Amino acid sequence: MTTPAAPVERRVPEAVHRRRWAILGVLMLSLLIVVLDNSILNVAIKTISSPAPTGLGATQSQLEWAINAYTLVFAGLLFTAGLLGDRLGRKKTLLAGLAVFGAGSALAAESGSSAQLIAFRALMGLGAAFVMPATLAVLMNVFERDEQPKAIGIWAGGVGLAVAIGPITGGVLLAHFWWGSVFLVNVPIVILALALMIWLVPDSRDPSPGRVDPIGVVLSVVGLVLLVYGIIKGGQLADFTDAKVLATIAAGLAVLAAFVVFEKRSDHPSIDVTYFKNKVFSAAIAAIALVFFALMGVTFFSVFYTQSVRGYSPLQTGLLMLPLAAAQMIFAPRARLLVDRFGNKATTTAGMLIIAAMLAAFATLKADTPIWILEVVFFLMGTGMAHIMTPTSVVIMQALPREKAGSASALSNTFRQVGGALGIAVLGSVLSTAYRNGIQDKLSLLPAGIRHTAGESIEATLGVAAKLGPNGKALVAPANDAFLHAMHITALCGAGVAVLGAINVALFLPGKAPAPHSGGKEEPTLVAADH
């Protein structure tokens, strides 16, 4: 009777088991700065666009590439970074990734031009690609299987915390220091995380990684970079029918298709594509991509709603996002309790439907809606997200063998990044197109040369209106109306995507786990892969 229990006992060495929660704290510190950095930059955009010495005088296009250079490198290398972590050791890749991220942050803070800032942001993306998958992979190797859902829940709550405190931290720093402080703040945190990691975190790797698969690695990087670049470019142009955009996205998909074909035929693949034949695994991956598609697009337009329409400062906007993070921190670690009681299917479907309902609620917001309603929407959104991220992350990480934890984490993060990039690009272009259509008639009074620029976004219209002085005041109300109409359309599109996500998890995720020895069909598939 004791035979089945023995391997479980020996899975994690006693010395590591004793300090597992301290290790989780270090992993969350590493994760915090990587996630926090993107949300902190959104607050600094206005300052960086100011002429020197206040900012760098960055153009709209340069600002977009300061954000996108990070996303492009990060998304393109996530999968490769996960593979290298499994092969070389997750602690080594974590330390290297953090060191590169810290160096990139210090250099970005001292950038003398927009081109330098873009280059150093790409360097930060390179470091972050090695940090993100390794944190979850290490977690899987220091916690026993029965504690993994709780640990992953706390990890997911940490992501929510970082998303919320980014704008608040950025607002405080910009109120007292120069724009580079939003990057320089990373350096002391990186140094602390490196020291704690060397002291506390054990190394782990795949004991039998097999031969290197250079062709697979190159195909995955090229395919992902082309796909994400095409998505970003389509969002920038607000036109996904542009020939260059379509060609880039098609090329990316073609290369990724070649990657799948090559991996299926290889005797030493980077990733065993048969994992995707497991419907539960594929549904969980798709759920993460869909929820981030919907949420990233909404986060994008909610900032314009709070700042441009409602008149809140960047710091106040950050504070308004706190309920979103609070709900994730409260519910993400507890989501496993609902999964135990009702199963993955019911928990994640309910989470997706809550997200869909809250996105639809954005379509009811007006310029004078009481702000507490927005706070309730954000809180319920965070609640829905907590009940999607934790169960799906557990399903994905437990579906693959523990030795492949880096690859599983990288796959999850890659789909999340691509989903998020698609959300910002697609929903951003819906917002942009709907706004331009709504404001076009009101711009006829402007000189022909500035009409196109003034119609790009509500910020652009209000910027032109401010330069026109008293004559520009007539543009403010129509700009707000056009933006609200565009936001309502975009929110309903996001809600539709979330409903697709709900259908996906309702159809394919397993229901309540069967009682022991009851011979359920779904759960053994997941458990068997861990042995």
Side-chain angles (χ1 to χ4, degrees):
M1 292 301 290
T2 55
T3 314
V8 179
E9 289 296 321
R10 296 194 196 105
R11 270 295 194 190
V12 179
E14 184 56 35
V16 174
H17 182 74
R18 278 201 304 269
R19 61 178 192 266
R20 64 197 185 285
W21 296 109
I23 292 168
L24 180 60
V26 179
L27 296 176
M28 285 182 64
L29 187 64
S30 311
L31 183 71
L32 191 75
I33 50 169
V34 172
V35 178
L36 181 141
D37 184 73
N38 253 3
S39 57
I40 214 173
L41 178 62
N42 292 334
V43 177
I45 281 173
K46 224 168 185 172
T47 312
I48 294 170
S49 67
S50 305
T54 307
L56 292 173
T59 64
Q60 183 64 29
S61 174
Q62 288 168 334
L63 284 174
E64 285 175 0
W65 277 113
I67 295 170
N68 293 333
Y70 180 95
T71 306
L72 196 61
V73 176
F74 184 49
L77 290 177
L78 263 172
F79 179 66
T80 303
L83 284 173
L84 287 173
D86 285 344
R87 177 174 290 278
L88 303 175
R90 287 124 195 173
K91 181 175 181 175
K92 293 185 187 72
T93 54
L94 251 178
L95 291 170
L98 275 173
V100 170
F101 185 84
S105 299
L107 290 166
E110 299 301 327
S111 298
S113 67
S114 299
Q116 285 183 4
L117 179 61
I118 291 166
F120 296 138
R121 284 282 296 161
L123 183 64
M124 290 168 72
L126 172 65
F130 283 84
V131 173
M132 193 85 170
T135 57
L136 202 46
V138 170
L139 181 156
M140 295 301 288
N141 280 273
V142 299
F143 283 90
E144 296 293 1
R145 191 180 181 87
D146 61 336
E147 280 191 323
Q148 285 170 2
K150 182 179 181 182
I152 289 174
I154 295 169
W155 180 89
V159 175
L161 174 67
V163 168
I165 66 171
I168 298 167
T169 310
V172 171
L173 287 170
L174 291 173
H176 297 93
F177 305 102
W178 95 115
W179 65 267
S181 62
V182 301
F183 299 115
L184 202 60
V185 72
N186 293 333
V187 177
I189 306 173
V190 165
I191 293 168
L192 175 63
L194 284 170
L196 289 171
M197 201 164 289
I198 291 166
W199 177 39
L200 284 171
V201 177
D203 205 357
S204 61
R205 68 179 78 186
D206 185 344
S208 52
R211 285 185 293 147
V212 182
D213 174 27
I215 297 174
V217 166
V218 170
L219 287 173
S220 73
V221 172
V222 172
L224 283 167
V225 167
L226 283 171
L227 177 63
V228 176
Y229 179 82
I231 291 166
I232 289 169
K233 200 67 188 166
Q236 280 184 331
L237 298 174
D239 180 14
F240 278 83
T241 60
D242 181 86
K244 284 182 185 172
V245 172
L246 287 173
T248 312
I249 290 174
L253 291 172
V255 174
L256 289 173
F259 167 72
V260 171
V261 170
F262 180 81
E263 295 298 282
K264 280 174 99 170
R265 294 180 178 175
S266 173
D267 58 357
H268 56 287
S270 296
I271 180 71
D272 186 348
V273 290
T274 59
Y275 288 135
F276 286 96
K277 289 183 179 175
N278 181 334
K279 288 179 184 175
V280 175
F281 177 77
S282 295
I285 288 268
I288 282 182
L290 288 168
V291 78
F292 269 83
F293 180 100
L295 277 169
M296 291 302 282
V298 172
T299 309
F300 179 73
F301 68 61
S302 66
V303 171
F304 289 107
Y305 172 70
T306 52
Q307 289 187 29
S308 302
V309 177
R310 302 302 295 258
Y312 289 101
S313 70
L315 177 56
Q316 288 170 326
T317 297
L319 290 168
L320 286 172
M321 297 287 282
L322 274 177
L324 185 74
Q328 285 193 64
M329 288 172 63
I330 293 165
F331 295 112
R334 293 171 175 80
R336 73 187 193 288
L337 303 174
L338 279 184
V339 171
D340 290 345
R341 184 162 183 183
F342 300 108
N344 271 308
K345 188 194 296 278
T347 306
T348 47
T349 303
M352 277 287 190
L353 290 174
I354 290 171
I355 294 271
M358 291 310 102
L359 289 172
F362 262 98
T364 68
L365 298 180
K366 297 183 173 63
D368 58 353
T369 300
I371 205 66
W372 65 264
I373 292 176
L374 180 66
E375 297 297 84
V376 171
V377 168
F378 277 146
F379 184 81
L380 290 173
M381 251 181 167
T383 305
M385 198 171 172
H387 291 97
I388 300 162
M389 287 306 299
T390 303
T392 52
S393 295
V394 171
V395 165
I396 291 163
M397 296 307 293
Q398 292 191 345
L400 269 62
R402 193 187 288 240
E403 293 73 29
K404 304 290 182 188
S407 301
S409 175
L411 273 173
S412 167
N413 282 306
T414 301
F415 274 80
R416 179 163 73 184
Q417 282 298 312
V418 171
L422 257 174
I424 290 173
V426 175
L427 294 181
S429 67
V430 169
L431 183 76
S432 178
T433 306
Y435 178 76
R436 187 183 286 281
N437 291 341
I439 197 72
Q440 203 113 47
D441 295 345
K442 307 294 186 295
L443 301 178
S444 55
L445 302 173
L446 296 177
I450 60 170
R451 276 181 212 160
H452 183 80
T453 307
E456 280 182 356
S457 67
I458 184 170
E459 282 288 297
T461 310
L462 295 177
V464 169
K467 286 176 187 168
L468 293 174
N471 295 334
K473 284 187 178 174
L475 277 177
V476 175
N480 283 346
D481 290 343
F483 175 80
L484 286 169
H485 176 67
M487 182 180 86
H488 294 162
I489 292 171
T490 311
L492 291 173
C493 289
V497 171
V499 169
L500 287 178
I503 294 168
N504 163 56
V505 293
L507 287 175
F508 299 115
L509 282 194
K512 190 176 177 182
H517 311 300
S518 67
K521 289 179 183 176
E522 305 275 17
E523 288 296 307
T525 314
L526 295 176
V527 176
D530 193 48
H531 293 294

